[in-house]
Amino acid sequence: MPKVRVTPIIGLPQFDGWSQVVESPPHSSVKIVLSIAIEGTQAGNVGRDIANFFSSQVIQTLEEFHELLEEIIDQAAENGVHTLFSAGYFSGEACAYATFNGAVLLKRDSKIGTILSSGHQLKLITGKVALHDVVVFSTLSAARFFTEIELKFEQGYDADTIVASVVPGLHAEDNSSLSALAFITFEEEKNVGFRESVVGHQYEHHQHDKSTRPVSQRTSVSALETSSESEMSEDVDDSVASDPVRSALAVQIQEDVAHELSSSLEETEAPKSSFSFSDLVGSVTRALSLVGRVLSGGLKKVQVLVPPIVRAFRSLRTGAGRAFSGERRTSIIGFFKDLPDTLKSLIPSKDVYLETSNTNRIKRARAGIVVITIIICAAAVVLLVISKRNSERSLAEENVRPLLEEVTSAQAMAQDQPLEARNVASEALRKLEDLQSQHEEGSISYQVISDAYQEASTIFTSISGMDALQELPVFYDLRLVSSDFIASKMLLNQEKLYFVDTEQKTIVSLEVGSKKAAKASVSTESLLVDTTIFENAPLFLTTAGIGSVPDFSQETEEIEYQEEIPEGDSNRNARFITSYENYLYVVNPEKRNIYRYSYGNDGFSDPIGWMQEVSRGLDFADVASISVDGDVWLGMNDGRILKFTRGRSEDFAIKAIQQQFDSSVIVRSVTDGKYLFVLEPARSRVVVLLKTGEFIKEISNTSLGAVTDIIPSSDELNVYAISGSVVYRLDI
């Protein structure tokens, strides 16, 4: 199954406008993504309710995905608001894309175009993903960025670069509350093959007509090239047909898999009986035939049939409320096997006298016997089916009971032994998944196991340390200080935050308690590379050395930059700077070393090469961050976290984490603290680890994909995150 990576871009909320990108929980086997905006009174409250509802649903099939989107439309209408969204469904290689006042853009190889868009109607297309696809889900308000996105794709930019370029433009708008974009990329997993294909059939949903109607299969690319404009407009959405490149893309990706649509829309077969009814049916058929012969003969003693039939019916009625035991089932089947012989003995011979009077009474007797016989046969079949279903349910419950007990015991020991508890619960979930795969979807056993899996998943989520937030709590909007301020670096000095816009050489200070903010420009011609706190004031690494600026709390047009360390071999072309007590640490990839400066009465000393032993495989060009708390922690572009003590490499391994880091990570720590705080933007998550490597907690949200820096509070109870001009505060 390909890994699905989601990178969100959302507008800033307003009273009557709200947007968000929502996705399914990490443990869900089917990935669903929703890029949604809500317009109307109390848009934020309604939007959060819809987002919570969407992410709480466990989707297994495409029909459930379609029904979920219809429910979102209905909920919005019931709350008197308008909704705009586009959504995606990913199950293995299969996928489905849907829009309602939204649009979907696809980049496949060199072709780029809008493959689906709609106004006030729900459209859905299905197919398969390709490894190098890039899909953009957009609300209709944000689709205006498609032209810019297509141009940058054509110029060769990757998705992350395009996201970084779109965020400032979106946040700079007066009202971006209805804009939401979700960039979807796919990463290859081992032993997973990809076949390039996407879209097959289309379904349309009108607001007042919830019936789903398939649209005819679309023409091939070769046919499109020779078709008239009117033919193209019938086969390709109007918003796509006007552009030949988009048209060819949309038609090609639909034709590629028109014959490979998922069989999930087909009805599943009913479970077969565990025992045969052939003997019973044969006996009943022969009995009914003989009843006809008996009745046609008009027996004078026809009432002799009634007592055994009534006794059998009473036996059936007695067992109707519960499953048959083996003896009861054998008894009833035996009755029907013996019934033909009983009837045969009553067929008149030449010596039997026929009743020739009281014709109405005989007719009523005949009719009564027929009705009673039919009722008995029907009741027998129903009770045998009930017996089979109850037996199947009992067996399934016996299979899942010990696994649920394991999960419950894991919950009990989670407080004292969290790692062991998570392992036990995770293994029980895996066994439930294996058990579920052995049964047909729609069967009684499948439903029982699915219910048990849901219960176990809920317990596991509560002890897993996984916290999938529906919306990040906004702490402050820096646009209140400067409308064009875009922060790339963040510092914390006791109870004051500093945000640095390196391109504009501007710094904003923000008091955490009062949220009093001030802005100033840094008076230097050099470029700002990195920054740290030293002696309670900001210190900058620039392209011409290292310098400081004084602390400030009032709005200042410009603050004086004072050079502390001139440019030299140790800091020339350096990338990172940080501090610990009276020491400065500078990472210099060209020199393949970390240089340390000490500070005393005479200022900074000459630098010394701090690294005594270079870790095997360490490439300083791949260092993504540095944090010093007595030990030196390096976050790498490939997801590794390296630990050094007194210049020498130390062993460090991450334990009990569900998904290891495999992309660039930013590592932050607090002096005398016990945790490491790790930001992995590519996975849209912040992970908390013990400094011994044990996993503690993971906070995930699609908005974390656009965060550029984090910093923990001194008490390690909160983490501040910066994304453009928006500051978030996460509770740990």
Side-chain angles (χ1 to χ4, degrees):
M1 175 178 176
K3 295 181 180 179
V4 180
R5 174 187 169 190
V6 182
T7 303
I9 303 177
I10 60 174
L12 298 173
Q14 295 191 4
F15 178 78
D16 59 350
W18 179 92
S19 60
Q20 187 60 268
V21 175
V22 193
E23 57 182 304
S24 53
H27 64 270
S28 177
S29 60
V30 174
K31 185 77 168 181
I32 55 176
V33 181
L34 178 69
S35 182
I36 186 171
I38 301 296
E39 180 181 20
T41 306
Q42 299 294 332
N45 292 336
V46 177
R48 281 185 285 272
D49 291 341
I50 291 177
N52 290 334
F53 170 77
F54 180 90
S55 62
S56 67
Q57 303 302 304
V58 177
I59 299 301
Q60 299 291 339
T61 66
L62 188 56
E63 297 99 318
E64 294 174 350
F65 176 66
H66 184 261
E67 292 171 2
L68 175 59
L69 298 182
E70 289 184 324
E71 180 64 22
I72 290 174
I73 295 170
D74 292 341
Q75 285 189 22
E78 291 172 1
N79 285 278
V81 297
H82 301 292
T83 183
L84 306 85
F85 68 74
S86 57
Y89 165 100
F90 304 96
S91 179
E93 297 178 10
C95 69
Y97 303 147
T99 59
F100 183 84
N101 291 316
V104 179
L105 181 142
L106 173 67
K107 176 186 180 296
R108 170 165 292 176
D109 298 327
S110 61
K111 295 181 179 180
I112 310 165
T114 303
I115 61 168
L116 182 64
S117 65
S118 68
H120 208 58
Q121 61 180 5
L122 178 62
K123 288 188 178 181
L124 185 147
I125 52 180
T126 65
K128 295 180 182 291
V129 299
L131 175 59
H132 299 294
D133 282 355
V134 179
V135 185
V136 183
F137 295 118
S138 169
T139 59
L140 210 54
S141 298
R144 61 188 179 278
F145 287 93
F146 277 10
T147 302
E148 177 185 348
I149 293 171
E150 290 180 39
L151 179 61
K152 289 190 179 293
F153 273 134
E154 292 170 355
Q155 293 173 348
Y157 290 98
D158 60 17
D160 291 339
T161 303
I162 295 174
V163 169
S165 68
V166 171
V167 169
L170 180 64
H171 286 177
E173 294 182 343
D174 292 335
N175 184 0
S176 60
S177 62
L178 299 182
S179 297
L181 294 156
F183 283 68
I184 311 298
T185 54
F186 305 94
E187 301 174 0
E188 185 176 12
E189 285 188 337
K190 294 182 180 180
N191 301 326
V192 177
F194 294 88
R195 292 181 297 173
E196 293 191 356
S197 50
V198 172
V199 187
H201 286 244
Q202 175 171 315
Y203 297 88
E204 294 188 356
H205 166 83
H206 295 279
Q207 186 178 14
H208 301 294
D209 181 8
K210 296 185 179 179
S211 62
T212 303
R213 303 184 294 276
V215 177
S216 60
Q217 181 175 317
R218 306 188 174 191
T219 59
S220 66
V221 176
S222 60
L224 175 64
E225 293 172 349
T226 60
S227 65
S228 66
E229 183 177 352
S230 62
E231 290 170 338
M232 180 176 67
S233 65
E234 293 174 0
D235 290 333
V236 184
D237 189 83
D238 293 339
S239 64
V240 182
S242 59
D243 187 333
V245 174
R246 297 184 185 182
S247 301
L249 176 65
V251 173
Q252 180 189 16
I253 59 180
Q254 295 189 65
E255 179 64 13
D256 285 344
V257 296
H259 63 286
E260 294 181 322
L261 290 176
S262 172
S263 61
S264 64
L265 295 177
E266 297 178 1
E267 295 183 359
T268 55
E269 295 180 358
K272 296 182 179 180
S273 174
S274 60
F275 57 86
S276 174
F277 293 104
S278 58
D279 292 340
L280 174 61
V281 173
S283 297
V284 171
T285 302
R286 287 185 284 114
L288 290 176
S289 175
L290 291 172
V291 167
R293 293 175 59 189
V294 170
L295 296 179
S296 64
L299 291 176
K300 183 176 181 180
K301 299 296 184 179
V302 75
Q303 291 88 342
V304 299
L305 281 174
V306 175
I309 291 176
V310 171
R311 285 195 300 272
F313 181 74
R314 286 176 178 171
S315 177
L316 288 172
R317 185 181 62 184
T318 302
R322 60 184 182 276
F324 287 140
S325 65
E327 294 179 358
R328 181 177 296 279
R329 185 161 50 242
T330 302
S331 174
I332 293 176
I333 294 176
F335 164 77
F336 282 101
K337 286 184 177 180
D338 296 338
L339 184 57
D341 296 332
T342 303
L343 293 173
K344 199 176 289 184
S345 66
L346 298 174
I347 296 177
S349 65
K350 292 181 180 179
D351 298 329
V352 177
Y353 293 98
L354 299 179
E355 182 68 55
T356 59
S357 61
N358 204 356
T359 303
N360 291 334
R361 189 167 137 194
I362 293 176
K363 288 182 178 180
R364 286 195 299 271
R366 291 174 180 173
I369 292 173
V370 171
V371 170
I372 292 172
T373 304
I374 293 174
I375 290 174
I376 293 174
C377 294
V381 172
V382 169
L383 290 174
L384 289 172
V385 170
I386 292 174
S387 172
K388 184 260 181 184
R389 292 172 64 88
N390 287 343
S391 298
E392 184 180 354
R393 179 181 295 276
S394 298
L395 180 60
E397 289 174 346
E398 289 178 5
N399 290 334
V400 303
R401 187 177 297 112
L403 299 178
L404 285 177
E405 290 174 353
E406 289 181 14
V407 177
T408 303
S409 65
Q411 185 181 27
M413 65 178 174
Q415 187 69 26
D416 299 326
Q417 305 174 38
L419 299 182
E420 183 178 350
R422 292 168 187 168
N423 291 336
V424 171
S426 178
E427 179 64 18
L429 280 175
R430 186 193 64 78
K431 291 178 181 178
L432 283 171
E433 287 181 345
D434 292 343
L435 191 62
Q436 189 179 46
S437 66
Q438 300 172 14
H439 298 272
E440 294 184 6
E441 185 175 349
S443 66
I444 294 294
S445 297
Y446 187 92
Q447 185 59 49
V448 170
I449 299 169
S450 295
D451 292 343
Y453 184 85
Q454 290 297 323
E455 181 181 348
S457 295
T458 301
I459 296 175
F460 177 75
T461 300
S462 68
I463 65 174
S464 66
M466 309 295 287
D467 190 0
L469 299 180
Q470 298 307 313
E471 185 174 358
L472 294 182
V474 176
F475 180 70
Y476 195 78
D477 188 346
L478 296 173
R479 293 187 306 170
L480 297 174
V481 182
S482 177
S483 60
D484 59 349
F485 188 87
I486 302 295
S488 57
K489 303 290 182 181
M490 179 170 53
L491 304 169
L492 177 64
N493 180 31
Q494 297 177 357
E495 292 300 313
K496 182 181 286 188
L497 288 165
Y498 297 90
F499 306 93
V500 181
D501 186 334
T502 55
E503 291 188 5
Q504 299 189 59
K505 301 177 185 177
T506 305
I507 183 170
V508 171
S509 67
L510 178 67
E511 295 180 5
V512 174
S514 64
K515 294 188 179 179
K516 179 182 177 182
K519 169 190 163 186
S521 297
V522 181
S523 61
T524 178
E525 298 297 326
S526 303
L527 298 179
L528 304 182
V529 179
D530 199 9
T531 182
T532 187
I533 291 292
F534 192 80
E535 293 292 311
N536 296 321
L539 191 74
F540 291 97
L541 172 66
T542 73
T543 54
I546 299 172
S548 64
V549 296
D551 187 20
F552 65 99
S553 299
Q554 301 296 328
E555 191 75 19
T556 306
E557 183 175 347
E558 188 175 74
I559 54 177
E560 181 181 357
Y561 171 84
Q562 180 179 346
E563 183 180 86
E564 300 288 349
I565 302 174
E567 181 182 9
D569 291 341
S570 60
N571 59 53
R572 185 180 296 112
N573 297 322
R575 290 184 57 195
F576 302 103
I577 188 170
T578 190
S579 63
Y580 171 69
E581 295 182 347
N582 293 326
Y583 298 100
L584 281 182
Y585 294 81
V586 175
V587 180
N588 193 323
E590 286 191 354
K591 298 298 184 180
R592 301 188 72 252
N593 209 332
I594 297 175
Y595 290 94
R596 188 178 74 175
Y597 300 82
S598 62
Y599 184 77
N601 295 331
D602 297 328
F604 287 99
S605 67
D606 292 333
I608 61 171
W610 184 80
M611 298 289 288
Q612 302 297 316
E613 173 188 299
V614 178
S615 176
R616 178 177 297 180
L618 172 60
D619 185 351
F620 280 87
D622 286 335
V623 175
S625 66
I626 181 173
S627 182
V628 181
D629 55 13
D631 295 319
V632 172
W633 303 90
L634 297 181
M636 307 299 291
N637 286 330
D638 59 4
R640 289 180 298 158
I641 298 175
L642 304 181
K643 178 183 179 182
F644 295 87
T645 302
R646 295 175 180 172
R648 298 185 181 277
S649 176
E650 295 283 339
D651 291 336
F652 178 76
I654 300 172
K655 310 175 192 66
I657 191 170
Q658 287 191 13
Q659 175 67 56
Q660 289 286 346
F661 302 113
D662 57 7
S663 60
S664 181
V665 292
I666 297 174
V667 180
R668 299 288 183 246
S669 62
V670 176
T671 302
D672 298 328
K674 61 180 180 179
Y675 298 125
L676 290 179
F677 301 86
V678 185
L679 169 67
E680 187 179 22
R683 296 278 179 195
S684 300
R685 62 177 177 170
V686 171
V687 176
V688 183
L689 306 171
L690 289 176
K691 290 183 179 179
T692 52
E694 286 82 1
F695 170 81
I696 297 299
K697 187 173 185 178
E698 175 179 314
I699 301 174
S700 62
N701 180 274
T702 50
S703 295
L704 289 172
V707 168
T708 55
D709 199 3
I710 62 170
I711 192 161
S713 61
S714 56
D715 58 10
E716 297 185 307
L717 297 179
N718 305 105
V719 170
Y720 297 93
I722 182 68
S723 174
S725 59
V726 181
V727 184
Y728 302 106
R729 183 165 69 177
L730 312 178
D731 295 330
I732 303 302

